[in-house]
């Protein structure tokens, strides 16, 4: 162990990635605010509390204005830097946006209280980072560019160090190795961090998930190799598909050259605050115990754990569980066809879903999702390897592939967007909310203008027991053709699979029926979801 002190810094993720990973981003602003003053005294390097899926979930499921969340949390943190996750040209949405939207979103994020913006692109196409990086520097923010870490033949240490050097040259103030799948094993972490520290002068931060069970060990080897900062979550919202525990990592390095210097007594008090929120989520079913375990298949098949669980779900829905290993064998072929993209959101969803379709339809690319078409058309950017030309031709036909930076083809959007919402806009930021999620934003604006009647009704309903509890029986409509009742179960969508599957936008806890209904069945009933009574009607098309 070296004699030179190198205190490791901590980015706390409990207010963003911790609850995004474990409870589908359902922690409310009101649940966060009481503990902020205490968190501000800990001595964190930063607190990640915005970006990622929090924006979408706040609007769609919590009835909250995400900008108001940012302002309230900024007011509470007097001494601690606030950090957000930014999907480069995708911002926080699911497509590429015009440069004027990206620039303005960065400006308003910083104006409202963000200090550090972590910017990543799913394909590691640095062209997609340019506008966000330039805007962050222009408006006085701290730029952290992130490498989407993955495995595969092209992804060598040399590839990552070259990428890091280019990021430093772009103006990055620090660089994060973003391993959202939990694939970075300890000795590879050591090797990679050593190479990065020899290549660039800016600080190196490590971000991983505990899905495969190696995250804490990878942090340790990475820190010993020179990593400067790590992402951790308070223990009630740590482990599983989340990050290693903050308290554990702080104690691990206590009394060593890497001692964080954080106040452990405060950490224990903060953990005590979050523990009842975890217990409440477990009791309601929002926190599924399955996401708390170790999924060693993540390492065995070198794909994210959530990707595997979602494949199981898709195949079960199609009564094709026996095709699971066929799909596993198809995934690397599809990935190769698509230029070997990192298996992170959204490319992991695109590859996984297409592999399922190839197997189920008995012919490769007989049916292609719109996301597959967009990727092969070049709408997401450039992949590390060329596309399979035959597959590309089959999927996009005679369409001319995009080879430039995709956003170069998008005209400025803000003037048109402002005109479309002028009746409902009450703050500058509303146009950005609308740009990212038009329909969800418009529904929110109308609710806001009416004084949030639905939110008030939901609050009242939350106090009353649901007429049909989770796991209860489904009421059959007169047209129902089923001979037996079906039980309702609420299944949280795995964290890495939030937005690309047919019929799924954003995050959701989706009901499924067991036994499966038949084509032509019509069913209606109620269930408890997120502690609320939800009525539903289902027409089964087959």
């Amino acid at each position: 162990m070296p004699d030179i002190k190198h205190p490791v810094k901590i980015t706390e993720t409990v207010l963003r990635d911790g609850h995004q990973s474990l409870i589908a981003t359902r922690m409310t602003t009101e649940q966060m605010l009481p503990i902020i003053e205490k968190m501000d005294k800990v001595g964190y390097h930063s607190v990640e509390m915005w970006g990622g899926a929090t924006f979408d979930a706040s609007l769609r499921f919590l009835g909250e204005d995400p900008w108001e969340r940012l302002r309230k949390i900024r007011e509470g943190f007097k001494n601690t830097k606030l950090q957000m996750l930014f999907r480069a040209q995708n911002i926080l949405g699911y497509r590429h946006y015009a440069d004027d939207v990206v620039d303005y979103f960065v400006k308003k994020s910083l104006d409202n209280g963000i200090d550090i913006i972590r910017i990543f692109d799913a394909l590691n196409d640095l062209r997609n980072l340019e506008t966000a990086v330039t805007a962050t520097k222009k408006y006085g923010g701290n730029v952290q560019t992130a490498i989407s870490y993955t495995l595969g033949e092209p992804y060598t240490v040399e590839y990552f160090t070259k990428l890091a050097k280019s990021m430093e040259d772009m103006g990055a103030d620090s660089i994060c190795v973003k391993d959202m799948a939990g694939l970075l094993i300890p000795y590879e972490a050591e090797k990679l961090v050593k190479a990065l520290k020899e290549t660039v002068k800016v600080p190196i931060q490590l971000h991983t998930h505990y899905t495969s069970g190696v995250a804490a060990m990878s942090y340790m080897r990475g820190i010993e190799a020179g990593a400067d900062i790590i992402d951790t979550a308070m223990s009630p919202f740590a482990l599983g598909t989340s990050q290693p525990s903050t308290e554990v990592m702080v104690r691990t390095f206590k009394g060593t050259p890497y001692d964080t210097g954080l106040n452990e007594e405060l950490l224990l008090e903060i953990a005590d605050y979050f523990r009842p929120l975890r217990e409440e989520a477990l009791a309601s079913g929002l926190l599924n115990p399955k996401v708390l375990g170790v999924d060693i298949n993540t390492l065995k098949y070198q794909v994210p754990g959530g990707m595997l669980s979602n494949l199981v779900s898709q195949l079960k829905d199609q009564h094709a569980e026996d095709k699971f290993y066929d799909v596993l064998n198809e995934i690397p072929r599809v990935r190769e066809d698509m230029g070997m993209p990192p298996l992170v959101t959204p490319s992991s969803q695109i590859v996984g879903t297409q592999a399922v379709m190839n197997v189920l339809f008995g012919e490769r690319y007989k049916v292609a999702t719109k996301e597959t078409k967009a990727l092969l058309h070049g709408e997401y950017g450039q992949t590390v390897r060329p596309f399979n030309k035959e597959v590309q031709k089959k999927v996009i036909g005679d369409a001319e592939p995009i080879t430039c930076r995709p956003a170069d083809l998008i005209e400025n959007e803000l003037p048109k967007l402002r005109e479309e919402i002028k009746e409902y806009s009450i703050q500058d930021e509303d146009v950005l909310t609308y740009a990212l999620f038009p329909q969800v934003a418009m529904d929110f604006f109308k609710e806001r203008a009416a004084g949030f009647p639905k939110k008030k009704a939901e609050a009242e309903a939350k106090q009353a027991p649901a007429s049909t509890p989770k796991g209860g029986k489904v009421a059959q409509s007169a047209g129902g053709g089923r001979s037996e009742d079906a039980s309702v179960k609420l299944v949280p969508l795995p964290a890495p699979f939030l937005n690309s599957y047919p019929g799924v936008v954003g995050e959701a806890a989706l009901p499924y029926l067991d036994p499966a209904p038949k084509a032509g069945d019509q069913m209606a009933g109620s269930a408890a979801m997120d502690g609320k009574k939800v009525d539903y009607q289902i027409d089964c098309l087959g």
Side-chain angles (χ1 to χ4, degrees), residues 27 139 243 255:
M27 193 182 295
Y139 298 120
Q243 280 78 50

Side-chain angles (χ1 to χ4, degrees), residues 35-237:
I35 197 60
I36 284 175
E37 183 179 354
K38 192 164 287 185
M39 291 180 69
D40 194 34
K41 298 176 182 177
V42 170
Y44 293 119
H45 167 70
S46 64
V47 170
E48 187 199 40
M49 46 66 61
W50 215 57
T54 61
F55 201 94
D56 185 6
S58 293
L59 289 167
R60 192 183 303 270
F61 301 115
L62 304 178
E64 293 185 6
D65 182 347
W67 296 100
E68 188 63 22
R69 171 181 291 189
L70 173 54
R71 289 189 285 264
K72 286 181 177 179
I73 293 179
R74 175 73 281 171
E75 185 178 350
F77 278 104
K78 311 293 186 185
N79 308 300
T80 308
K81 292 179 180 177
L82 298 184
Q83 183 167 324
M84 72 172 292
L85 181 65
F86 197 97
R87 299 172 185 153
Q89 207 70 28
N90 286 10
I91 310 180
L92 306 179
Y94 309 125
R95 68 170 177 89
H96 280 209
Y97 297 90
D99 286 337
D100 66 334
V101 178
V102 175
D103 181 275
Y104 195 51
F105 200 102
V106 168
K107 182 181 187 305
K108 299 309 291 187
S109 298
L110 297 172
D111 287 349
N112 281 278
I114 289 296
D115 298 293
I116 303 169
I117 302 184
R118 177 180 291 171
I119 306 167
F120 80 101
D121 178 68
L123 302 184
N124 287 326
D125 186 343
L126 296 185
R127 300 174 304 170
N128 293 333
L129 275 65
E130 290 171 358
T131 299
V133 168
T134 299
T136 305
K137 303 292 282 189
K138 179 171 65 173
Y139 298 120
N142 183 291
V143 173
Q144 181 176 91
T145 54
I147 295 169
S148 293
Y149 181 80
T150 190
L151 301 175
E153 188 179 342
Y155 297 103
T156 61
V157 170
E158 183 181 2
Y159 165 86
F160 290 122
T161 55
K162 183 178 179 182
L163 199 62
K165 182 58 180 171
S166 297
M167 288 177 168
E168 185 179 51
D169 292 343
M170 288 177 73
D173 296 304
S174 61
I175 294 172
C176 175
V177 178
K178 180 174 164 40
D179 172 32
M180 67 164 288
L183 300 175
L184 183 62
I185 57 178
Y187 290 104
E188 289 301 316
E190 178 183 34
K191 186 190 307 182
L192 177 58
V193 170
K194 279 184 177 178
L196 290 173
K197 296 297 287 185
E198 291 170 357
T199 304
V200 298
K201 296 182 175 62
V202 298
I204 299 298
Q205 184 155 354
L206 295 181
H207 168 95
T208 189
H209 291 250
Y210 219 93
T211 317
S212 60
V214 300
M217 292 183 286
S218 296
Y219 275 174
M220 178 172 281
R221 298 304 296 181
I223 288 166
E224 291 172 349
D228 303 282
I229 317 164
I230 55 175
D231 285 7
T232 63
M234 291 304 302
S235 56
F237 287 94

